[in-house]
Amino acid sequence: MFTGIITGVGRIVAVHALGSSSSHGRRLTIECPPTYLDDVSLGDSIALNGACMTVTAMDARSHQFNIDISAESLTKTAGLSQPGLINLEKALRANDRLGGHLVSGHVDGVGTVTHFAQVGESWDLALLAPRDLAKYLAYKGSITVNGVSLTVNQVADLPSGCECRINLIPHTVQNTALNTLASGSQVNLEIDLIARYVERMLSLEPQLAPLAAATAATG
């Protein structure tokens, strides 16, 4: 589990194929800030741009660690197939502050940035989410964008998907890799866990009502 509060900005410095076919994944080498790996062990989970990955090798002296990402994960995420800056977050400890919101590190879809510009001291970010995620996006609800816990300020349902707008304070822009975004950038999205379970309960209710009635009738 994570909180969407970025604990460091890293860089993918090398990408190596794990095989010769498209069904093979990749091994990524990530360079992170000094001392970032001091409390990390092999097998620990670190979210890369919001996608939960497992540390398979590490070298604290060079401030680098490796993860293996499957071909399936590569097709369901953005920003993890080539060198570049990425947001890092270590897994949540039981006694940590929950500064953002509960985040699983499982990417629900890839969105596209449609607008990113400074407005006053803040930044206005608009992105188009896949249509099947629209029902989970709400005004003042939570969404994770490339691993960052953010609040939705506007929602507009469009034929091409769901556009949501988000206000970024200067601290967020300065201390995450979101400052590399531009119109057309693809981003990893994770919906709020609570919205996921509410949708599941509501979708089952019409199916369970006849069963409950039948059970009561035979009881």
Side-chain angles (χ1 to χ4, degrees):
M1 296 297 296
F2 304 89
T3 69
I5 302 299
I6 302 306
T7 54
V9 175
R11 181 185 294 274
I12 299 174
V13 295
V15 179
H16 300 286
L18 294 176
S20 57
S21 74
S22 59
S23 63
H24 289 93
R26 300 286 187 271
R27 176 164 295 146
L28 308 185
T29 300
I30 295 98
E31 185 177 74
C32 52
T35 74
Y36 192 82
L37 297 175
D38 286 358
D39 60 348
V40 173
S41 302
L42 291 180
D44 281 359
S45 296
I46 296 180
L48 311 182
N49 270 0
C52 179
M53 298 293 164
T54 301
V55 176
T56 58
M58 54 186 288
D59 183 350
R61 291 174 299 177
S62 63
H63 317 306
Q64 295 183 347
F65 67 94
N66 290 351
I67 65 98
D68 290 346
I69 180 170
S70 68
E72 170 69 12
S73 293
L74 286 170
T75 64
K76 303 298 184 184
T77 59
L80 300 180
S81 61
Q82 58 189 10
L85 292 177
I86 53 170
N87 293 318
L88 304 175
E89 183 185 356
K90 300 173 186 176
L92 177 68
R93 292 189 178 97
N95 64 338
D96 280 346
R97 288 189 175 94
L98 189 60
H101 69 282
L102 287 175
V103 175
S104 67
H106 301 153
V107 176
D108 293 302
V110 174
T112 302
V113 174
T114 57
H115 177 77
F116 188 51
Q118 190 167 9
V119 179
E121 79 287 353
S122 300
W123 291 75
D124 178 36
L125 170 64
L127 57 89
L128 188 68
R131 185 180 298 178
D132 59 352
L133 297 187
K135 58 189 173 184
Y136 303 107
L137 302 176
Y139 174 65
K140 295 304 180 185
S142 296
I143 187 172
T144 307
V145 179
N146 275 359
V148 184
S149 172
L150 298 169
T151 301
V152 176
N153 289 332
Q154 294 180 32
V155 178
D157 293 313
L158 306 174
S160 55
C162 180
E163 186 177 67
C164 57
R165 301 191 84 94
I166 298 164
N167 181 73
L168 302 179
I169 62 173
H171 178 85
T172 301
V173 175
Q174 293 163 7
N175 291 279
T176 70
L178 295 184
N179 57 30
T180 64
L181 296 180
S183 182
S185 296
Q186 291 192 309
V187 290
N188 296 321
L189 304 177
E190 182 182 336
I191 60 170
D192 183 46
L193 280 173
I194 297 174
R196 189 196 311 274
Y197 285 110
V198 169
E199 191 277 335
R200 173 63 173 166
M201 289 186 289
L202 291 177
S203 66
L204 276 182
E205 189 171 346
Q207 302 175 45
L208 296 178
L211 295 176
T215 301
T218 58

